[in-house]
Amino acid sequence: MADDFTSADGLGVLICGHGSRNRLAVDEFAKLADGLRRKLPQLPVEHGYLEFARPILRDGLEKLREQGVQRVLAVPGMLFAAGHAKNDIPSVLNTYSAETGLQVDYGRELGVDLKMIQAAGARIREAIDQASRDVPLSDTLLVVVGRGSSDPDANSNVAKVTRMLVEGFGFGWGETVYSGVTFPLVEPGLRHVVRLGFKRVIVFPYFLFSGVLVSRIRQHSERVAADHPEVEFLQAGYLGDHPMVIDTFAERVAEVIRGDTAMNGSLCKYRQQVLGFETEVGAPQHSHHHHVEGLNEPCQLCENECTSACQPDGVPLPAHGHDHSHHHPIYPHAHHPLGPRTMQSKSEDK
């Protein structure tokens, strides 16, 4: 991989994040960018966010231009390719490139990668090593928590990570749940898995950084654990800036230089007639985050839909207080009993 950067004149790197209201998460993303700078000292590296934090993506691009960069190697700071990586980020980058003439080449997401699996395994191993008692792996159930998306391709990749980890460790069982948008959500999912009778449950948030969702995952897990004292619950740490994560980012940058950046589109709902999502084939590529770029306050519509922030009785939170020029497609399984009601359309809620 080092040979890919031998001629770095005019090249610069932009790591494209989502952004968070949580300052710790924003700081952690900046720390990862610092780690990539140390990994690639021959290249200027900047970062930016879609929403809720600064610098925004345009700020990062401007900084690279000021340093004389003529070709930007942009990499999505996303675990999997869903709407943000497929639509929102490319839309911002393409618009900026058209306005300024700066060449921006877009890479692919971190994805299901050996190094990412190794980083995940390290976090799970840390949780096991810190446990107060020994429990056989065969009596242990692993629950991997994914971000959750309305894109079934991204959701299925989390399930693949789960299976790789379960077989790698030799756990007795493995399940995948999601923090929002799709099903099963964390708490109802955990209440189902405890019925399987395993002595230990490890809850692993497959997230890059801390934030609102990681805090909620822990809260949901603690509620279920309190109701089932006969089961030992272990909380594994999120991925963070594990060296293998930074190595994966560096590999994605090298792929952009080599031109090997194609995302796997064989099951992409925007390209293929994916079962249940047929109406979204060929949807236009655009960003709906322009109204919250750089803001610290969340858009309530996005917050409700993206995090399934429902009240305990399942009633959606109050409506957002400002107009939107965008909407999310209606999720075909909005009425699933283990999923978020916030994905239902307004007409369905009436």
Side-chain angles (χ1 to χ4, degrees):
M1 185 174 65
D3 293 341
D4 294 307
F5 307 111
T6 53
S7 179
D9 291 343
L11 297 179
V13 176
L14 180 68
I15 304 299
C16 308
H18 179 274
S20 172
R21 293 175 296 134
N22 185 290
R23 294 302 94 191
L24 176 59
V26 173
D27 291 343
E28 288 175 346
F29 194 92
K31 184 178 179 182
L32 186 147
D34 288 337
L36 192 59
R37 289 188 185 97
R38 292 189 295 271
K39 186 77 176 179
L40 306 175
Q42 63 275 63
L43 294 174
V45 176
E46 299 294 340
H47 67 283
Y49 306 100
L50 274 172
E51 60 182 345
F52 303 150
R54 287 192 177 277
I56 62 175
L57 295 176
R58 293 180 69 94
D59 294 337
L61 290 166
E62 286 291 341
K63 288 182 179 179
L64 291 172
R65 285 185 68 200
E66 292 169 0
Q67 298 174 64
V69 169
Q70 299 173 341
R71 180 190 178 195
V72 175
L73 314 174
V75 177
M78 311 282 174
L79 290 169
F80 302 112
H84 292 315
K86 293 178 179 179
N87 293 326
D88 300 314
I89 294 174
S91 176
V92 174
L93 299 179
N94 290 338
T95 300
Y96 185 90
S97 179
E99 292 175 356
T100 64
L102 180 66
Q103 180 180 350
V104 182
D105 294 329
Y106 190 49
R108 66 186 180 97
E109 79 287 357
L110 296 172
V112 182
D113 185 278
L114 175 60
K115 291 183 286 293
M116 297 300 294
I117 299 296
Q118 291 171 334
R123 297 304 187 216
I124 294 169
R125 175 56 63 189
E126 290 168 1
I128 294 173
D129 290 343
Q130 294 171 9
S132 59
R133 63 191 181 95
D134 291 331
V135 174
L137 293 177
S138 59
D139 288 331
T140 300
L141 187 151
L142 174 68
V143 177
V144 176
V145 185
R147 170 65 180 83
S149 169
S150 60
D151 191 326
D153 189 22
N155 294 332
S156 68
N157 281 328
V158 186
K160 183 170 184 177
V161 168
T162 301
R163 187 64 193 184
M164 295 288 288
L165 292 168
V166 169
E167 289 203 33
F169 278 90
F171 290 125
W173 202 269
E175 292 290 347
T176 307
V177 300
Y178 302 90
S179 67
V181 181
T182 190
F183 63 90
L185 295 178
V186 178
E187 187 165 339
L190 289 176
R191 293 195 182 281
H192 275 64
V193 301
V194 293
R195 301 176 185 175
L196 294 175
F198 285 87
K199 296 179 180 179
R200 170 182 283 171
V201 174
I202 301 175
V203 180
F204 169 51
Y206 195 72
F207 281 64
L208 278 177
F209 308 108
S210 180
V212 174
L213 299 183
V214 172
S215 297
R216 287 178 182 167
I217 291 167
R218 184 174 292 273
Q219 292 167 6
H220 291 310
S221 302
E222 289 173 350
R223 280 201 291 268
V224 178
D227 292 338
H228 294 274
E230 75 281 4
V231 180
E232 181 185 25
F233 275 76
L234 299 183
Q235 303 289 338
Y238 49 89
L239 294 164
D241 63 339
H242 190 280
M244 289 293 182
V245 174
I246 294 176
D247 286 349
T248 309
F249 270 109
E251 177 59 31
R252 295 296 172 267
V253 174
E255 290 173 353
V256 180
I257 295 177
R258 297 195 300 264
D260 182 20
T261 61
M263 294 181 182
N264 184 353
S266 61
L267 292 175
C268 176
K269 68 174 183 176
Y270 301 113
R271 299 183 182 181
Q272 310 294 338
Q273 294 282 342
V274 176
L275 180 65
F277 297 82
E278 293 85 354
T279 61
E280 297 186 48
V281 176
Q285 188 180 72
H286 60 83
S287 174
H288 65 253
H289 291 75
H290 56 85
H291 60 288
V292 284
E293 282 186 321
L295 298 182
N296 290 325
E297 291 301 318
C299 150
Q300 284 301 313
L301 176 62
C302 295
E303 181 71 3
N304 289 353
E305 290 187 342
C306 293
T307 65
S308 70
C310 288
Q311 297 172 16
D313 59 0
V315 178
L317 292 173
H320 57 292
H322 61 276
D323 188 26
H324 275 68
S325 60
H326 75 276
H327 69 280
H328 293 273
I330 297 174
Y331 186 55
H333 303 296
H335 290 285
H336 194 287
L338 303 184
R341 287 189 58 202
T342 47
M343 289 302 291
Q344 296 175 14
S345 68
K346 292 182 179 178
S347 62
E348 290 173 318
D349 287 335
K350 291 180 180 178

